[in-house]
Amino acid sequence: MGATITEKILARAADKNSVIPGDNIWVNADILLTHDVCGPGTIDIFKDKFGVDAKVWNPAKVVIIPDHYIFTADKMAQRNIDILRAFAKEQNLPHYYDVGTPRYKGVCHVALPEEGHVKPGEVIFGTDSHTCTHGAFGAFATGIGNTDAAFVMGTGKLLIKVPETLRFILNGILPDYVAAKDIILRIIGDIGVDGATYCAMEFQGEAINALNMEERMTICNMAIEAGAKNGIMEPDKTTMNYLNARTKEPLNQVHGDKDAKPAKIHNYDVSSFVPCVAEPHLPSNYAPARERSNVKLDRAYIGSCTGGKLTDFIMAAKILKGQKVKIDTFLVPATAEVAENLLRETIDGKSLLEVFAEAGCKDIAPPSCAACLGGPEDTFGRAHGKEVIISTTNRNFVNRMGSKQASIYLASPLTTAASAITGQITDPRDFM
Amino acid sequence: MAKADNDIITGRTYVLGDNIDTDLIIPAKYLTLIPGIPEEYRKLGSYALSGLPDEHLRFVAPGKEKSDFTVIIAGKNFGCGSSREHAPVCLGAAGTQAVVAESYARIFFRNAVATGELYPLESKQRLCDLFKTGDNIEISLKECLITNMTSGSTFELKPLGAAGPVVKAGGLFAYAHDEKMI
Ligand code: SF4
């Protein structure tokens, strides 16, 4: 029997001819990613278990991208950056993207591929649940805790269980004003927040092939919201074009076998998909945007690894151009590169930055995770009360954006921008 | 760190429902604490489950570092969301010895096993509808049983499966050592 792309990558990483779902195997890691929230704890365990003078298994494979609590006066947050900086220096890590320097990037999951650290067929472990984002490039990528990460740091290996594959075949043409976010929210709505627990979510089909890399990342990013171990897509020309512009290193694609037998196949025709939201307090609370037009909003938020990429801001600008927002609208580009492109990218002769300023959005914040996960009290865009928020982020759990009383609706950048203009949940096709 | 010395865990339960996510278990503003630093470990314990809505009985009483409850009973998908190891760690620091849930989110389960902070046990039945906060219980790890001493009924737990040997060894590092990986 043939193997899925996930099984093939894992077999190769385990130096085996083949593996089957349920096998517990030791795999070699190609990249270990960490950031300021989990990095210090990981380093602490690494030193405790391997010794204070221990060296990481391969400095070129450890990537540290501080992004969570950056622009804050919080002393503990600053101490944690100091720990990362000292560790990077002591270990001679070439891929540390330090705060307060021109190397600073922003949200790790957008920066990692931008900087050429993601390659098809590789195994990527990250101390962050949204590490699954990188499956969009045909890699096996999954989130792990500090103890596991410390183990990888010291040995380059990790014991993992081969997941079963759930295949999602998405055919048809995505209608205008419907985005990748609408695809993944629809799927999570159908299978639930534990619908893919322990599984690989594999996305294929002409609707996926038609998406650019950033939209593909949005889909894989939220695989964890259905409980998946990883999200994954086969690499193609779009993947290679993106990566060849980012790295000079050789790229080897891994593909699944034609006769692979996933545990389950879900078929979708995306031509019937509509702009939607996930209502509080679970990403699986799917509702078409049009059916929730009675919901009044206090705030719109565009940012994060899910919805703060250049494509997301282009979508938002398409709606906001020549309009005025009615509610507080917070924009946080995921990375420094995205921020620069807001200035460069134009729409009818105006930069995206100008479009947003003229629409009355708040001044753009520097790149980081910002209010996506609440964070310290002084975090840009953080909720402090009973705000009703529409957001391009990935989680709408109680307390996610900093306040237990706040309500978060997840949506695409198009739906978020349209809703910012009216102050109510709005189908972006009203602005066609 | 609260592993049972023998195969029996006893204590009082704290009962929760489905989809208890990591933002409820440990709100993001406390993630600056480093679990390996003893003082910060204890602080993490004092904030365990502090993201729950205010109507809930506090898991750790204000001003305390440890909870009066040593076993958490929950529904489906316990620990969903973030990969923050602070989640099982804060529960362990608060004195939690075991969580008994209908099912777990993958990373929480894995982190609980890798750290050895607590036993992530799965019940065959939905116990969160049958147990009340404050019930006295006894868990036999060897026999895979949980008894509610308050109501007098006993329920089966699922065996730990592939994670069993790792838990038994005392976490990932100890297991890897036994396996001669390190
Ligand atoms: S942007 Fe949000 S979801 Fe993404 S890594 Fe940062 S905190 Fe996590």
Side-chain angles (χ1 to χ4, degrees):
Chain A
M1 195 176 79
T4 65
I5 177 170
T6 296
E7 290 153 16
K8 285 183 88 165
I9 295 171
L10 293 179
R12 199 162 83 160
D15 296 320
K16 289 180 185 290
N17 290 328
S18 65
V19 295
I20 54 166
D23 283 355
N24 286 293
I25 53 171
W26 289 98
V27 295
N28 296 309
D30 292 297
I31 292 290
L32 175 67
L33 167 69
T34 190
H35 51 46
D36 56 304
V37 160
C38 295
T42 300
I43 292 165
D44 189 65
I45 298 170
F46 170 75
K47 298 216 163 201
D48 182 47
K49 300 290 184 185
F50 294 99
V52 278
D53 300 323
K55 292 280 169 217
V56 303
W57 100 101
N58 186 338
K61 294 189 172 191
V62 177
V63 182
I64 305 185
I65 309 180
D67 58 357
H68 278 59
Y69 304 155
I70 308 302
F71 304 102
T72 169
D74 188 291
K75 288 271 174 304
M76 298 286 275
Q78 291 170 359
R79 171 203 64 179
N80 288 350
I81 306 282
D82 292 343
I83 293 174
L84 296 181
R85 186 176 296 134
F87 186 71
K89 189 160 176 236
E90 159 203 314
Q91 299 279 333
N92 267 316
L93 301 182
H95 307 304
Y96 171 56
Y97 296 96
D98 202 4
V99 181
T101 75
R103 279 176 64 74
Y104 175 71
K105 297 296 166 209
V107 179
C108 62
H109 302 306
V110 181
L112 195 74
E114 271 179 1
E115 297 305 309
H117 297 304
V118 179
K119 300 193 195 78
E122 295 204 333
V123 171
I124 299 172
F125 292 117
T127 60
D128 190 283
S129 59
H130 291 105
T131 303
C132 55
T133 308
H134 311 294
F137 297 87
F140 173 86
T142 194
I144 56 175
N146 295 355
T147 302
D148 281 337
F151 191 89
V152 175
M153 217 173 228
T155 65
K157 290 182 194 300
L158 194 60
L159 178 67
I160 65 164
K161 182 155 97 182
V162 179
E164 287 190 320
T165 291
L166 306 182
R167 180 173 290 167
F168 297 81
I169 304 177
L170 298 131
N171 281 321
I173 294 173
L174 201 61
D176 279 351
Y177 294 84
V178 182
K181 185 71 169 282
D182 298 302
I183 295 180
I184 190 63
L185 288 180
R186 169 68 194 272
I187 291 175
I188 297 167
D190 286 350
I191 68 171
V193 285
D194 57 357
T197 299
Y198 285 100
C199 296
M201 288 176 89
E202 181 185 304
F203 305 95
Q204 342 182 310
E206 58 193 27
I208 298 296
N209 301 341
L211 296 174
N212 72 14
M213 280 323 298
E214 292 191 341
E215 283 283 87
R216 294 182 192 185
M217 287 164 71
T218 301
I219 293 178
C220 286
N221 176 275
M222 291 193 70
I224 181 68
E225 264 56 71
K229 183 168 207 152
N230 64 314
I232 198 160
M233 294 169 178
E234 298 263 344
D236 65 2
K237 232 172 108 191
T238 306
T239 321
M240 297 322 268
N241 287 344
Y242 180 104
L243 294 174
N244 282 322
R246 309 275 173 171
T247 178
K248 295 276 167 291
E249 288 178 42
L251 302 173
N252 296 305
Q253 301 184 38
V254 173
H255 293 277
D257 294 325
K258 290 248 168 349
D259 59 343
K261 290 255 182 305
K264 202 160 181 198
I265 297 179
H266 298 260
N267 281 291
Y268 283 96
D269 177 0
V270 301
S271 61
S272 65
F273 281 23
V274 296
C276 68
V277 295
E279 299 187 274
H281 297 285
L282 284 178
S284 56
N285 291 341
Y286 172 91
R290 189 147 278 159
E291 291 174 18
R292 291 296 178 270
S293 56
N294 57 338
V295 175
K296 275 202 170 357
L297 301 162
D298 301 309
R299 175 180 291 191
Y301 186 95
I302 300 178
S304 84
C305 51
T306 322
K309 301 174 258 72
L310 182 60
T311 305
D312 301 305
F313 286 103
I314 292 173
M315 285 194 263
K318 180 167 128 183
I319 301 287
L320 290 172
K321 165 192 66 168
Q323 302 280 351
K324 287 269 177 233
V325 298
K326 203 168 176 181
I327 51 176
D328 287 347
T329 301
F330 295 82
L331 309 176
V332 189
T335 61
E337 184 178 315
V338 175
E340 273 168 36
N341 282 328
L342 295 184
L343 203 64
R344 231 171 269 149
E345 191 74 29
T346 58
I347 184 162
D348 296 343
K350 282 187 179 154
S351 73
L352 300 189
L353 222 51
E354 286 172 286
V355 170
F356 296 137
E358 286 178 15
C361 301
K362 293 203 174 286
D363 285 347
I364 295 197
S368 83
C369 295
C372 172
L373 85 163
E377 302 284 340
D378 57 351
T379 303
F380 180 80
R382 185 186 194 272
H384 291 280
K386 293 186 177 155
E387 297 92 340
V388 181
I389 307 165
I390 189 158
S391 173
T392 65
T393 52
N394 46 35
R395 287 186 180 144
N396 55 353
F397 301 147
V398 172
N399 211 14
R400 176 67 182 179
M401 293 182 88
S403 165
K404 288 182 194 179
Q405 287 84 36
S407 306
I408 308 163
Y409 289 81
L410 305 177
S412 78
L414 294 161
T415 303
T416 302
S419 306
I421 296 167
T422 62
Q424 281 160 287
I425 291 180
T426 301
D427 187 313
R429 291 171 299 183
D430 290 356
F431 290 90
M432 256 171 150
Chain B
M1 193 98 35
K3 276 196 126 182
D5 293 333
N6 48 39
D7 278 335
I8 301 288
I9 294 171
T10 55
R12 290 170 69 210
T13 58
Y14 188 78
V15 181
L16 293 163
D18 293 327
N19 301 316
I20 299 302
D21 65 73
T22 49
D23 286 287
L24 298 178
I25 298 173
I26 185 78
K29 62 179 168 189
Y30 304 126
L31 297 183
T32 53
L33 296 166
I34 299 177
I37 299 173
E39 190 198 332
E40 297 184 24
Y41 177 81
R42 289 198 304 275
K43 263 201 187 147
L44 276 168
S46 72
Y47 298 131
L49 285 166
S50 65
L52 284 170
D54 296 335
E55 314 72 275
H56 273 260
L57 173 71
R58 288 281 295 269
F59 181 62
V60 183
K64 289 257 183 85
E65 286 181 342
K66 296 233 179 209
S67 174
D68 293 337
F69 308 100
T70 47
V71 174
I72 293 168
I73 307 281
K76 289 188 187 140
N77 204 27
F78 188 87
C80 61
S82 147
S83 63
R84 59 188 74 152
E85 201 161 280
H86 308 73
V89 168
C90 77
L91 295 176
T96 306
Q97 300 205 24
V99 177
V100 181
E102 237 181 310
S103 65
Y104 289 90
R106 184 189 66 80
I107 309 179
F108 179 91
F109 182 86
R110 188 169 173 114
N111 286 344
V113 170
T115 56
E117 284 286 341
L118 52 87
Y119 282 91
L121 304 171
E122 274 184 8
S123 56
K124 291 194 176 169
Q125 269 170 283
R126 187 175 169 81
L127 298 186
C128 61
D129 295 337
L130 303 171
F131 284 53
K132 287 193 195 57
T133 292
D135 284 353
N136 281 306
I137 60 102
E138 184 177 294
I139 292 169
S140 163
L141 293 170
K142 204 153 83 208
E143 293 172 50
C144 290
L145 292 174
I146 176 167
T147 301
N148 187 327
M149 315 295 264
T150 307
S151 70
S153 24
T154 296
F155 303 89
E156 282 180 76
L157 303 173
K158 294 184 191 166
L160 267 170
V166 184
V167 180
K168 210 165 173 193
L172 178 72
F173 277 91
Y175 176 75
H177 204 262
D178 293 351
E179 289 268 289
K180 309 219 177 338
M181 291 303 299
I182 50 173

